[in-house]
Amino acid sequence: MEYDYLFKHVTVIDGSGGPEYRADVAVAGDRIAAIAPTLHAAARTVIDGQDRVLAPGFIDVHTHDDINVIRMPAYLPKISQGITTVIVGNCGISAAGTTLKGEVPDPMNLLGEADQFIYPTVDHYARAVSDARPAVNVGTLVGHTALRNNHMDDLFRPARDNEIAAMRRDLREALRQGALGLSTGLAYATAFASTTEEVMALAEELTDAGGLYTTHLRSEFAPILDAMDEAFRIGRHGRVPVLISHHKCAGAQNWGRTRETLKLFDKVRLEQDVSCDCYPYSASSSTLDKKQITDEFDIVITWSTPHPEVAGRKLAEIAAEWSMTLQEAGAKLMPAGAIYYNMDEQDVRRVLSYPVTLIGSDGLPNDPMPHPRLWGAFPRVLGHYSRDEKLFPLTTAIHKMTGLSAARFNLSGRGLVREGYFADLVLFDPQTVAARATFAEPQQPAAGIDTVMVNGSISYGETGGAIGRAGRFLRRAPN
């Protein structure tokens, strides 16, 4: 037979965590058709992969790309990194399943403007993704804050029984339509007042559906162990896997405590299915939150609605210029976004190295001055942490961003280089792959990414542009 594509002489790192091997890999239609030491077959396109690694397309498990993959379907920030699938709806905020009554509540405003929330069900969102034909595949979680927004007149209080019942109905329907699970953002003021029992009630809907519970913990600061315990109790109650989002120990007084948090993971993993994701930087990014304003570390403003001219400047400099305290200046800037230099590098390394840590970018695509993780998270793991710092082997790095991620989110037929699997593939140079995005110049594509294929279609090439759009909406695989 004649294949559509034939990758010759590649070093295959298949996403399983197993050893690399040399092979030829053939693609027919949207699937990997054959893998062998040598394939003597015709193909419409032959790609010489000498000195290159062929890996499964990377899965970005923690994104806020919900609306942007539809508005900007070429989606260069992700496809240029070798990312072929994004998981949206994280941190309790999702475009899918949201019906706004007025202004967009914080932090849902990270996703877009009010007129862009036009997907009241997962099916509405799925159709919009399919119509847009983005360069990447898209799977969605349903956000707890989004559900609260649908049914509560005040997000700064616990939900009442009738409101919880209504949220459960919405979540049940979203799961029936293929949502991957439920996410919470309990640290944010619009969800902080919710009780553990409120979230437990929602987690009950995940049990039979086989959904996942992901959480931006109630605190990543001093009470982090209590916050982790709450997350694990919710998972036990719902009898569902738990994924702690962007695991970190934030705040200077908290640095070094990943020794404690990972020890707790070790203990709980003996009885529960728990894991976490992490981005490879020691600075975080979110909306400007008065609770996080401090002089213990630098805070850089990425956007401000009342004062857009300050984007890219330190909060301390702005406060000094205005002859104000940090808190006063922060209040004057809000609503706003910020980068917080609030982590310790050794903590980042410990979490990245942990066996059940997945890789997620957590990038905010609407920031005028985004955190470099939006464009650089995955090549930074491959180049800086794996190759240069030798934190873990390349096979481990790729496992954390492919096979481990696909299994965690139940993405059938993806995450591995296997015959019969979908042809989501990335060909890269292991010697030169690197993040070029920096805090000063964050919107830079990666170095060393040669070719990215999504569902059997070349979607990014050496020319540095998105040259194909074959992404699909991915529904949760049935139990």
Side-chain angles (χ1 to χ4, degrees):
M1 67 173 291
E2 184 181 50
Y3 297 112
D4 294 316
Y5 293 94
L6 181 58
F7 293 90
K8 296 286 291 182
H9 315 122
V10 293
T11 298
V12 176
I13 298 182
D14 68 6
S16 69
E20 63 184 48
Y21 59 92
R22 295 295 298 274
D24 295 349
V25 178
V27 173
D30 63 357
R31 304 279 178 155
I32 298 169
I35 304 170
T38 304
L39 286 171
H40 299 289
R44 293 186 179 91
T45 302
V46 177
I47 298 171
D48 185 2
Q50 191 74 39
D51 301 323
R52 297 294 188 265
V53 167
L54 186 71
F58 308 142
I59 300 169
D60 191 345
V61 300
H62 193 103
T63 85
H64 298 289
D65 299 331
D66 305 45
I67 293 171
N68 293 70
V69 290
I70 296 169
R71 290 180 53 239
M72 299 179 290
Y75 219 46
L76 200 57
K78 296 302 172 70
I79 196 72
S80 66
Q81 294 182 61
I83 292 167
T84 57
T85 297
V86 298
I87 306 299
V88 303
N90 284 281
C91 293
I93 60 176
S94 60
T98 296
T99 304
L100 291 178
K101 301 179 181 70
E103 292 302 307
V104 190
D106 182 271
M108 292 178 66
N109 52 9
L110 291 172
L111 302 184
E113 305 294 334
D115 62 359
Q116 296 166 348
F117 284 82
I118 53 175
Y119 316 108
T121 69
V122 169
D123 275 348
H124 281 90
Y125 183 74
R127 283 194 293 271
V129 169
S130 297
D131 290 345
R133 293 184 305 107
V136 295
N137 301 310
V138 182
T140 189
L141 299 157
V142 172
H144 170 227
T145 303
L147 296 173
R148 300 185 104 231
N149 156 86
N150 291 352
H151 297 290
M152 298 178 64
D153 58 4
D154 178 5
L155 300 181
F156 301 96
R157 62 168 173 81
R160 302 184 181 106
D161 288 347
N162 64 312
E163 293 164 338
I164 294 174
M167 285 191 272
R168 289 185 66 154
R169 286 194 297 271
D170 281 4
L171 178 58
R172 192 179 313 133
E173 184 64 9
L175 292 165
R176 189 188 67 78
Q177 294 176 8
L180 301 173
L182 172 71
S183 76
T184 58
L186 299 178
Y188 291 104
T190 44
F192 190 77
S194 59
T195 64
T196 304
E197 289 71 26
E198 175 182 324
V199 185
M200 282 180 169
L202 294 175
E204 291 172 6
E205 297 295 335
L206 301 173
T207 311
D208 291 339
L212 174 70
Y213 175 60
T214 78
T215 180
H216 178 149
L217 293 172
R218 201 174 288 271
S219 177
E220 296 172 325
F221 291 82
I224 187 169
L225 293 178
D226 290 339
M228 291 174 66
D229 181 67
E230 178 187 39
F232 298 148
R233 282 190 289 126
I234 291 167
R236 284 197 299 273
H237 180 80
R239 304 192 305 280
V240 293
V242 176
L243 176 71
I244 291 180
S245 299
H246 43 60
H247 183 45
K248 67 175 76 69
C249 288
Q253 302 304 313
N254 225 25
W255 290 348
R257 291 191 65 205
T258 53
R259 295 182 184 91
E260 298 174 55
T261 64
L262 296 179
K263 187 176 180 180
L264 179 57
F265 262 111
D266 285 340
K267 178 182 176 183
V268 173
R269 283 175 60 206
L270 297 175
E271 299 178 350
Q272 265 184 275
D273 187 358
V274 298
S275 55
C276 64
D277 66 57
C278 179
Y279 49 82
Y281 296 87
S282 57
S284 66
S285 183
S286 186
T287 52
L288 185 62
D289 178 1
K290 63 183 181 181
K291 292 188 297 183
Q292 294 193 52
I293 293 176
T294 178
D295 61 2
E296 291 182 343
F297 46 78
D298 286 337
I299 300 172
V300 174
I301 302 302
T302 56
W303 60 271
S304 167
T305 299
H307 294 281
E309 72 279 2
V310 304
R313 296 184 60 193
K314 292 180 181 179
L315 177 60
E317 294 173 354
I318 298 165
E321 184 178 294
W322 290 351
S323 300
M324 292 180 172
T325 66
L326 292 177
Q327 288 286 347
E328 289 169 341
K332 186 175 178 180
L333 291 167
M334 290 179 188
I339 291 173
Y340 303 90
Y341 290 82
N342 60 359
M343 285 176 271
D344 177 68
E345 174 65 18
Q346 293 307 311
D347 282 328
V348 174
R349 289 169 179 251
R350 286 187 201 101
V351 177
L352 279 174
S353 302
Y354 195 64
V356 293
T357 298
L358 315 178
I359 307 302
S361 70
D362 197 17
L364 303 178
N366 295 316
D367 276 8
M369 192 76 171
H371 191 300
R373 65 192 182 187
L374 179 67
W375 289 75
F378 285 71
R380 180 170 167 81
V381 171
L382 298 173
H384 176 67
Y385 283 110
S386 178
R387 181 189 61 231
D388 300 341
E389 296 296 314
K390 297 179 171 49
L391 190 61
F392 34 63
L394 190 58
T395 51
T396 299
I398 290 174
H399 178 55
K400 286 174 171 289
M401 52 182 70
T402 59
L404 191 62
S405 305
R408 173 80 296 168
F409 283 85
N410 201 13
L411 302 178
S412 179
R414 300 184 192 272
L416 298 173
V417 180
R418 290 277 194 276
E419 289 184 5
Y421 272 55
F422 289 98
D424 293 346
L425 299 166
V426 56
L427 185 72
F428 68 92
D429 184 342
Q431 299 306 313
T432 63
V433 65
R436 291 192 293 206
T438 65
F439 285 97
E441 295 185 50
Q443 297 175 335
Q444 305 292 325
I449 303 292
D450 290 352
T451 303
V452 185
M453 174 176 281
V454 180
N455 295 311
S457 175
I458 299 290
S459 299
Y460 181 82
E462 293 177 86
T463 56
I467 54 178
R469 296 195 343 234
R472 299 172 182 171
F473 183 76
L474 305 183
R475 300 180 193 266
R476 191 192 69 264
N479 258 358

